[in-house]
């Protein structure tokens, strides 16, 4: 190992040995936290990112796909009750292509691809059923492409064609929708599903499509369309009309001075209305076609029939030419005229589909706060007219509007306002205490960290300075200095021999002074050090001052 590395390790070991018990505990905790954090970060970074391979799989398809993944040695995860398979991000496309080459998932195959599997010997019944399954599969795929739709199933009921027009029936469809978690179909999406399905089948009307979701809710019923139930329609109308009138009254009378209740009755009957109208042209009759015919028989006299004359048959089938008798004389005649004229007449045929949800009648009740100054100065008839116009009141339909002034009970509102204010104050206090607690924790942690850093820096500085001071003093270790102390050699030898520390005998003091003090080896060493410092001060005063200043700074109290 290089000498520089050895010196670094030695310095680090000496630095760690100088730690106190508390410092060592904190250092161990910090090192452990760093190690555990590094391990957790490395495992998180090394963890593969999973992505969906297939979603909405049937049980058989999921089993086949997992068998393929096990054969390829690709890790996978199952979610959504086994209907969704997750694989590492880098293996998604390759495994999806392998599954497609093996015909997986087979349950999702459908649509017009079924027609490719038909043989020449297929019967007419098989062809009709396969064609219907193909349309159902294509519709299901298209519906599943919508946002929020996880799976979809379409069932078509197409009646057989017949030559009897009066016995023909319209086709119907049933659509089952399973939405994703937390998703819900909007009315516009339901309408889109209904019209998409009805437009794909010949002769199917939007009212012939039924849509049901996975929760058992009927989103569109046959005969009523995707308009919802009667209760939903009435509730939506009540809410919309009430909000419109409430906004009008809040603007004119002030917020909280009026309340509105709307009760509407909807007609749930559906049907078809056909009307035919005949009108004559305003500019006079216009002949489309005209025909006339005239028949005339003339009169005559004579004793015989003229040559080549024609006439009517008489008695015994004898022709009588033009009224001229074969014998004798006579007179007579016949004329017949007829005419046919067809004039043009305007003919209008109007067919109307009557959906469910038509408004039969409505009742609106408006209550005004009589204590409000804006209400006291208001005209009730004007308010009645405004409400009638805003709601589209039709008296011939049976609509009614009632406006009345009364005292409002504000105790509940006052209690709610008081409770709300108390809750807001409690939330503010809780937020303040939470902020104080957070600041206290942060300040305490910073103080603890600063204290630890201060002690570590001071300890390192003290060790560094003591090493420098000793080095400076060791530089004068070879010099000798005379101590003004008389050392008794015999006493010292005797003390050393006895195993005690050497002593120095001071000069005898007068009788009235304290007894002679006996110095130990530590005192002698300190005295020598003082003598060395004094000698150093005499030789290099500036250097001695720097050393003493460093010692004083090192021993200064915190």
């Amino acid at each position: 190992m290089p000498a520089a590395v050895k010196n670094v390790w030695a310095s680090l070991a000496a630095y760690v040995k100088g730690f106190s018990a508390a410092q060592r505990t904190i250092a161990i905790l910090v090192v452990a936290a760093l190690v555990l954090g590094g391990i957790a970060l490395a495992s998180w970074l090394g963890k593969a990112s999973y992505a969906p391979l297939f979603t909405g799989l049937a049980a058989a398809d999921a089993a086949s796909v997992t068998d393929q993944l096990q054969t390829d040695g690709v890790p996978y995860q199952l979610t959504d009750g086994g209907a969704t398979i997750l694989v590492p991000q880098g293996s998604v496309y390759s495994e999806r292509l392998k599954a497609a080459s093996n015909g997986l998932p087979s349950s999702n195959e459908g649509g017009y691809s079924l027609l490719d599997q038909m043989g020449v010997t297929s019967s007419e019944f098989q062809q009709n059923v396969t064609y219907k399954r193909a349309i159902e599969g294509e519709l299901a795929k298209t519906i599943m492409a919508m946002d929020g739709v996880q799976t979809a199933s379409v069932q078509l009921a197409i009646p057989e064609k017949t030559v009897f027009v009066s016995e023909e029936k319209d086709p119907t469809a049933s659509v089952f929708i399973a939405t994703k978690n937390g998703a819900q179909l909007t009315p516009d999406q339901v309408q889109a599903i209904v019209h998409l399905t009805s437009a794909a089948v010949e002769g199917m009307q939007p009212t012939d499509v039924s849509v049901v979701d996975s929760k058992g809710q009927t989103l569109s019923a046959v005969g009523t369309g995707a308009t919802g139930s009667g209760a939903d329609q009435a509730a939506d109308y009540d809410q919309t009309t009430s909000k419109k009138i409430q906004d009008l009254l809040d603007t004119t009378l002030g917020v909280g001075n009026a309340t509105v209740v709307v009760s509407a009755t909807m007609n749930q009957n559906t049907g078809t209305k056909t009307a035919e109208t005949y009108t004559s042209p305003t500019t006079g009759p216009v002949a489309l076609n005209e025909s006339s015919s005239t028949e005339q028989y003339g009169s005559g006299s004579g004793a015989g029939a003229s040559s080549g004359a024609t006439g009517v048959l008489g008695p015994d089938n004898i022709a009588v030419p033009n009224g001229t008798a074969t014998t004798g004389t006579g007179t007579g005649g016949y004329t017949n005229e007829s005419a046919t004229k067809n004039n043009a007449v305007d003919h209008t045929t109007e067919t109307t589909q009557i959906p469910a949800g038509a408004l039969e009648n409505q009742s609106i009740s408006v209550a005004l706060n009589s204590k409000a100054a804006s209400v006291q100065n208001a005209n009730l008839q004007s308010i009645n007219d405004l409400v009638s116009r805003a709601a589209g009141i039709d008296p011939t339909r049976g609509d009614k509007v009632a406006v009345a002034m009364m005292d409002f009970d504000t105790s509940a509102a006052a209690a709610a306002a008081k409770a709300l204010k108390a809750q807001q104050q409690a939330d503010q206090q809780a937020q303040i205490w939470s902020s104080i607690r957070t600041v206290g924790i942060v300040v305490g942690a910073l103080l603890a960290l600063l204290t630890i850093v201060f002690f570590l820096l001071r300890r390192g500085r003290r060790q560094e300075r003591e090493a420098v001071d000793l080095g400076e003093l060791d530089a004068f270790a070879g010099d000798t200095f005379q101590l003004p102390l008389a050392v008794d050699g015999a006493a010292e030898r005797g003390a050393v021999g006895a195993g005690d520390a050497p002593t120095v005998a001071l000069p005898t003091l007068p009788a009235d002074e304290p007894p002679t003090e006996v110095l130990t080896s530590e005192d002698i060493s300190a005295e020598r050090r003082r003598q060395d410092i004094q000698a150093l001060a005499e030789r290099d005063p500036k250097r001695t001052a720097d050393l003493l200043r460093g010692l004083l700074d090192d021993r200064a109290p915190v």
Side-chain angles (χ1 to χ4, degrees):
M1 184 179 293
V5 178
K6 289 183 178 180
N7 294 335
V8 171
W9 280 108
S11 301
L12 183 61
Y15 184 72
V16 172
K17 288 180 181 179
F19 284 0
S20 62
Q23 293 173 346
R24 291 181 181 179
T25 303
I26 294 174
I28 292 173
L29 292 177
V30 171
V31 172
L34 292 176
V35 172
L36 294 177
I39 294 174
L41 181 61
S43 73
W44 180 74
L45 293 176
K47 186 177 180 180
S49 177
Y50 283 79
L53 179 63
F54 292 107
T55 59
L57 293 176
D61 291 336
S64 301
V65 173
T66 53
D67 291 341
Q68 174 186 331
L69 295 176
Q70 291 177 357
T71 303
D72 296 341
V74 177
Y76 62 90
Q77 295 178 356
L78 297 177
T79 59
D80 195 13
T84 302
I85 300 178
L86 304 178
V87 297
Q89 184 71 38
S91 304
V92 172
Y93 300 106
S94 60
E95 292 299 324
R96 191 173 294 173
L97 292 175
K98 290 182 180 179
S101 63
N102 295 331
L104 297 174
S106 59
S107 299
N108 289 338
E109 291 186 357
Y112 291 117
S113 60
L114 295 174
L115 302 178
D116 299 335
Q117 303 174 4
M118 294 181 59
V120 180
T121 59
S122 299
S123 63
E124 183 179 358
F125 175 77
Q126 290 178 338
Q127 293 177 0
N128 294 334
V129 172
T130 304
Y131 178 70
K132 188 180 73 170
R133 289 180 56 195
I135 297 178
E136 292 173 351
E138 292 295 332
L139 288 174
K141 290 180 181 179
T142 306
I143 294 173
M144 283 191 293
M146 292 185 178
D147 293 337
V149 179
Q150 183 174 357
T151 57
S153 176
V154 180
Q155 301 294 330
L156 300 178
I158 303 176
E160 296 182 358
K161 293 184 178 181
T162 177
V163 296
F164 302 101
V165 180
S166 61
E167 296 181 2
E168 286 186 356
K169 296 182 179 180
D170 295 335
T172 58
S174 176
V175 182
F176 174 80
I177 301 295
T179 59
K180 298 179 181 179
N181 294 332
Q184 186 175 2
L185 294 180
T186 62
D188 293 339
Q189 288 180 313
V190 176
Q191 288 282 0
I193 293 173
V194 169
H195 289 283
L196 176 68
T197 306
S198 62
V201 181
E202 181 182 359
M204 183 179 293
Q205 302 296 327
T207 55
D208 297 331
V209 180
S210 174
V211 181
V212 181
D213 63 1
S214 58
K215 298 179 182 178
Q217 298 177 353
T218 302
L219 305 179
S220 176
V222 175
T224 60
T227 56
S229 62
D232 296 338
Q233 296 176 25
D236 293 341
Y237 181 83
D238 293 346
Q239 182 179 3
T240 303
T241 307
S242 177
K243 183 178 183 303
K244 182 167 54 176
I245 299 174
Q246 188 68 54
D247 293 341
L248 174 63
L249 296 178
D250 289 343
T251 304
T252 56
L253 303 178
V255 179
N257 293 329
T259 179
V260 181
V261 176
V262 178
S263 178
T265 302
M266 298 293 181
N267 185 3
Q268 299 305 313
N269 298 326
T270 60
T272 303
K273 180 181 179 181
T274 303
E276 294 184 357
T277 305
Y278 295 89
T279 58
S280 59
T282 58
T283 59
V286 177
L288 295 178
N289 52 59
E290 183 178 357
S291 63
S292 62
S293 61
T294 303
E295 295 181 0
Q296 182 177 5
Y297 297 97
S299 60
S301 63
S306 60
S307 177
T310 62
V312 296
L313 292 178
D316 298 331
N317 293 328
I318 298 174
V320 180
N322 295 327
T324 303
T326 56
T327 60
T329 60
T331 60
Y334 171 79
T335 300
N336 182 15
E337 295 181 0
S338 64
T340 302
K341 186 177 182 180
N342 295 327
N343 294 328
V345 178
D346 291 343
H347 180 201
T348 303
T349 302
E350 182 179 359
T351 302
T352 305
Q353 296 288 340
I354 303 175
L359 179 63
E360 289 187 351
N361 55 70
Q362 60 179 339
S363 299
I364 301 176
S365 301
V366 179
L368 305 178
N369 187 7
S370 60
K371 297 180 180 180
S374 58
V375 175
Q376 294 175 359
N377 299 328
N379 188 351
L380 294 182
Q381 185 60 38
S382 299
I383 296 176
N384 194 330
D385 295 341
L386 288 175
V387 173
S388 301
R389 295 292 182 87
I393 297 298
D394 186 3
T396 59
R397 191 174 51 190
D399 297 348
K400 298 180 181 179
V401 177
V403 180
M405 297 179 60
M406 57 186 62
D407 295 339
F408 281 12
D409 184 8
T410 59
S411 59
K418 184 177 179 181
L420 179 61
K421 184 177 180 180
Q423 183 64 32
Q424 291 177 352
Q425 292 178 355
D427 294 341
Q428 291 178 357
Q429 292 180 359
Q431 186 177 4
I432 291 173
W433 282 111
S434 177
S435 302
I436 293 175
R437 191 182 303 109
T438 303
V439 172
I441 293 173
V442 173
V443 171
L446 291 176
L447 291 177
L449 180 62
L450 291 176
T451 303
I452 294 172
V453 172
F454 178 77
F455 277 109
L456 293 178
L457 293 177
R458 184 179 179 191
R459 187 175 184 86
R461 182 179 178 185
R462 179 182 298 174
Q463 292 179 356
E464 182 179 359
R465 285 179 175 176
E466 289 181 355
V468 173
D469 292 342
L470 293 175
E472 294 293 342
L473 295 176
D474 290 342
F476 299 95
D479 298 339
T480 57
F481 302 95
Q482 297 293 331
L483 295 177
L485 299 177
V487 181
D488 189 354
E492 184 178 358
R493 287 192 299 272
V496 174
D500 297 333
T503 58
V504 178
L506 296 176
T508 304
L509 300 175
D512 56 349
E513 293 183 2
T516 303
E517 181 181 1
V518 179
L519 300 177
T520 62
S521 59
E522 295 179 358
D523 297 336
I524 296 174
S525 177
E527 185 63 26
R528 287 179 178 176
R529 186 174 293 275
R530 284 194 293 270
Q531 293 295 334
D532 292 342
I533 293 174
Q534 183 178 1
L536 180 61
E538 293 178 355
R539 295 172 56 183
D540 193 349
K542 184 176 180 181
R543 192 173 186 182
T544 304
D546 294 338
L547 292 174
L548 292 177
R549 188 180 298 106
L551 293 175
L552 292 175
D553 293 340
D554 190 35
R555 289 168 174 79
V558 179

